[in-house]
Amino acid sequence: MQSTAPAPLPEEIRDVIAPLTGLEGPLLPMLHAIQEVWGHVPQAAVPVLADVLNLGRAEVHGVISFYHDFRDHPTGRHVLKICRAEACQSVGGTAVAQETLARLGVDWHGTTADGAVTVEPVYCLGLCACGPAAMIDGRVLGRVDAARLAAELEAAS
Amino acid sequence: MRIWVPLDSAAKALGADAVAEALAREAKARGMDVQIIRNGSRGMVWLEPLVEVDVGEGRVGYGPVTPADVPALLDGRMNSLGPVEDLDWMRRQTRLTFARCGVIDPLDLDDYAALGGLVGLRRAIGLDSAAIVAEVTASGLRGRGGAGFPTGIKWKTVAEARADQKYIVCNADEGDSGTFADRMIMEGDPFTLIEGMAIAGLGVGATRGYVYMRSEYPVAIEVLERAVVIARQRGMLGADVLGSGRAFDMQVRVGAGAYVCGEETSLLNSLEGKRGTVRAKPPLPALEGFLGKPTVVNNVISLATIPVIFERGAQHYADFGLGRSRGTVTLQIAGNVRRGGLFETAFGMSLGEVVNDIGGGTLSGRPVKAVQVGGPLGAYMPVSKFDTAMGYEDFDAAGGLIGHAGLVVFDDSADMLQMARFAMEFCAIESCGKCTPCRIGAVRGVETIDRIAAGDPNAAALLSDLCETMKDGSLCALGGFTPYPVMSALTQFPDDFATLKEAAE
């Protein structure tokens, strides 16, 4: 896990967001860029963003906390997203999720004790005709069951 | 020998990448001259990965294909489905918006142009603003994102607004469960969306466009971003669109997992880099939209339908349909269904025909109990309403909404009380927090449904009352339409809400 990594320096954060300052409405692209580099949005990014965009720190924090995607802490080595939406529920998605969470010993948003996997809920991956659907590190999976998810996680690690 | 293996997310989710790799490896080992093309999906998700092979006599389909099938497939020993265009699912459709999806290499602009692409844009270049808007109005196209607002009227408002800068914003935040048409077209035929946005730009006098795409669609993001670069290189976008002397360029922006950003004013706030809270209307986004400038906000399918309207003419498009629902509807058949996928057809088919005839009934083989039409904010339609025609007004009259035309089928094992509870829970999670009926109402809704489940005889009336308040008092469709699934479950499936109450009595 990256939790032991030192917090990024303001200059490092500035370097990542500098190419995006010319955009109209640059904050979300900047937050995505920061999360791409550090795996989360470190606290140290808030004052830098506020300064660069001439916003209050509270405003920047407000934006980060509004969106489900932005995290203030690192995830496990792999992120498993399981769809909780209606189409996946209609083909047994809820049971797949419950079984998987129980097997990993975590609740939604939790990370396994060994730091291997973080499980996030997702509300629709657009795979509604081949559910239950899931995504491991950006790779889409259709018609999954709990055993398949376990095997995919095993193969990924 | 040319072989097509879809790059569509649904095909990938069912193993298309492994099939493509196996085909490349096996062909190489045999020294065969094979060209593998990654196309979009034809929309027959139950056949994915659907591999198509052309040995000089048209494209023959095989599916679903696994890597283990590859040797037999290359030997010609695998049983084929026959010519793909002759499959019942394909023959029964009217593919206008999706005409090229699954057919072409999505990133081959020459392929695109060979099958009618750019004809519409070239025609629009020869028209003035008023004529472009009039063409859209005459087509009868209504917003395919769910609200069904006439697209021509929206464009007219923006066209007539005076400003130094106007924008075209494409709403690609397709968050509704049971919908995937936007994803499919962006993955399978991205140039049609780009062309539609360019025509919109010419029509209203906007030179900049944005596609606000949800982060849950990594494949669509990649394909569309690459298509925008190609379109720019080839002069379809930029300072001089196809030599017209007029400018239009666009960018893809990625959302951050907030469902409410599919609501247009919330989307605009998000695009500006703010919290995705809903704005009160007026002012309309058409007058004060992105950065306070006049903005067309249209759904992906609305914009992707513009090129064919200009290619074939407004009348050709308007000739399809039913009543005031003109043209085609891109049905997305999903959930517990035998043949799920995308089916484009003229408005007017009945709900029952779509579910039972096209979709083949449930995947589980059990009886259909309910179909949720229009996403998480759409009503649960019981089998008794299966004669409802697919049309905006028809669904409205039946107490539902057609929305983005996604259908999620449930079999008789579905617990409608739990589905109603989920609708409230989802609203509570995704509420932007701006208005009280949605922010607080959804939380109280979950609690009230739990009281019904626990046998409280007064809770059902309270839930109805709460739903009325949410409907009347919410700023946007999230709080305002969550009562649709909740109340339809309560009124159409009373048994699911009565069991514990009766047990308590």
Side-chain angles (χ1 to χ4, degrees), chain A residues 69-144:
Chain A
D69 280 4
F70 299 128
R71 298 179 290 259
D72 59 4
H73 57 278
T75 61
R77 289 187 297 279
H78 301 286
V79 177
L80 167 64
K81 294 187 179 186
I82 306 176
C83 182
R84 286 195 66 203
E86 289 88 345
C88 287
Q89 288 187 41
S90 76
V91 284
T94 306
V96 172
Q98 290 314 320
E99 227 177 293
T100 302
L101 289 168
R103 195 182 58 79
L104 295 172
V106 295
D107 202 347
W108 292 114
H109 308 287
T111 302
T112 53
D114 61 358
V117 186
T118 300
V119 186
E120 300 276 1
V122 62
Y123 297 90
C124 199
L125 293 164
L127 303 171
C128 318
C130 55
M135 185 151 84
I136 297 177
D137 302 333
R139 195 164 57 88
V140 287
L141 302 167
R143 296 205 189 106
V144 297

Side-chain angles (χ1 to χ4, degrees), chain B residues 374-397:
Chain B
L377 308 177
Y380 285 99
M381 305 288 280
V383 175
S384 60
K385 292 191 177 180
F386 266 21
D387 57 353
T388 309
M390 301 302 303
Y392 294 107
E393 279 71 27
D394 305 83
F395 261 72
D396 190 42

Side-chain angles (χ1 to χ4, degrees), chain B residues 264-265 279-288 434 475:
Chain B
E264 62 176 0
T265 62
R279 299 177 185 173
K281 289 191 271 193
L284 293 171
L287 297 173
E288 292 180 37
K434 178 141 176 167
L475 262 178

Side-chain angles (χ1 to χ4, degrees), chain B residues 143-441:
Chain B
R144 296 288 189 255
F149 188 80
T151 307
I153 293 178
K154 193 182 273 187
W155 286 26
K156 189 167 189 279
T157 309
V158 178
E160 290 173 356
R162 297 168 73 99
D164 54 350
Q165 181 68 53
K166 300 178 190 178
Y167 294 97
I168 307 299
V169 170
C170 171
N171 183 345
D173 196 46
E174 184 180 50
D176 286 352
S177 175
T179 64
F180 43 83
D182 297 357
R183 177 184 67 62
M184 270 186 62
I185 199 90
M186 291 187 291
E187 292 173 353
D189 191 15
F191 290 123
T192 195
L193 173 58
I194 296 171
E195 183 177 348
M197 288 183 69
I199 294 172
L202 297 177
V204 305
T207 54
R208 285 183 213 161
Y210 291 96
V211 176
Y212 184 92
M213 171 120 61
R214 57 202 301 263
S215 62
E216 291 87 343
Y217 283 177
V219 180
I221 293 167
E222 191 196 332
V223 174
L224 185 60
E225 282 188 332
R226 287 172 62 189
V228 167
V229 171
I230 294 166
R232 209 174 279 141
Q233 284 166 351
R234 299 280 299 268
M236 184 181 171
L237 292 173
D240 183 18
V241 174
L242 295 184
S244 64
R246 293 154 79 182
F248 184 78
D249 209 338
M250 58 183 278
Q251 290 177 17
V252 179
R253 288 292 176 85
V254 179
Y259 173 78
V260 76
C261 290
E263 194 283 331
E264 62 176 0
T265 62
S266 155
L267 183 154
L268 291 170
N269 275 339
S270 182
L271 199 58
E272 290 178 6
K274 299 174 182 156
R275 293 165 69 88
T277 49
V278 173
R279 299 177 185 173
K281 289 191 271 193
L284 293 171
L287 297 173
E288 292 180 37
F290 182 56
L291 301 175
K293 303 292 185 185
T295 304
V296 168
V297 185
N298 277 156
N299 167 256
V300 173
I301 298 301
S302 312
L303 286 165
T305 301
I306 296 295
V308 74
I309 290 171
F310 281 80
E311 179 198 342
R312 311 243 184 120
Q315 195 56 47
H316 177 84
Y317 190 76
D319 282 345
F320 297 98
L322 167 79
R324 291 201 289 124
S325 304
R326 308 313 311 171
T328 57
V329 56
T330 49
L331 300 171
Q332 297 132 81
I333 307 168
N336 193 330
V337 67
R338 203 142 68 91
R339 290 187 296 270
L342 183 128
F343 191 93
E344 182 177 356
T345 182
F347 282 98
M349 195 178 262
S350 77
L351 174 60
E353 196 180 352
V354 175
V355 172
N356 291 321
D357 188 15
I358 308 293
T362 62
L363 179 68
S364 59
R366 300 170 68 103
V368 175
K369 180 168 184 173
V371 183
Q372 189 178 28
V373 183
L377 308 177
Y380 285 99
M381 305 288 280
V383 175
S384 60
K385 292 191 177 180
F386 266 21
D387 57 353
T388 309
M390 301 302 303
Y392 294 107
E393 279 71 27
D394 305 83
F395 261 72
D396 190 42
L401 55 126
I402 203 163
H404 193 35
L407 296 86
V408 177
V409 180
F410 291 81
D411 72 11
D412 63 353
S413 66
D415 178 345
M416 300 314 291
L417 181 140
Q418 286 304 323
M419 297 319 297
R421 187 185 191 279
F422 179 78
M424 283 292 190
E425 185 190 354
F426 182 70
C427 182
I429 292 169
E430 298 295 338
S431 174
C432 82
K434 178 141 176 167
C435 68
T436 316
C438 173
R439 183 185 68 245
I440 308 287

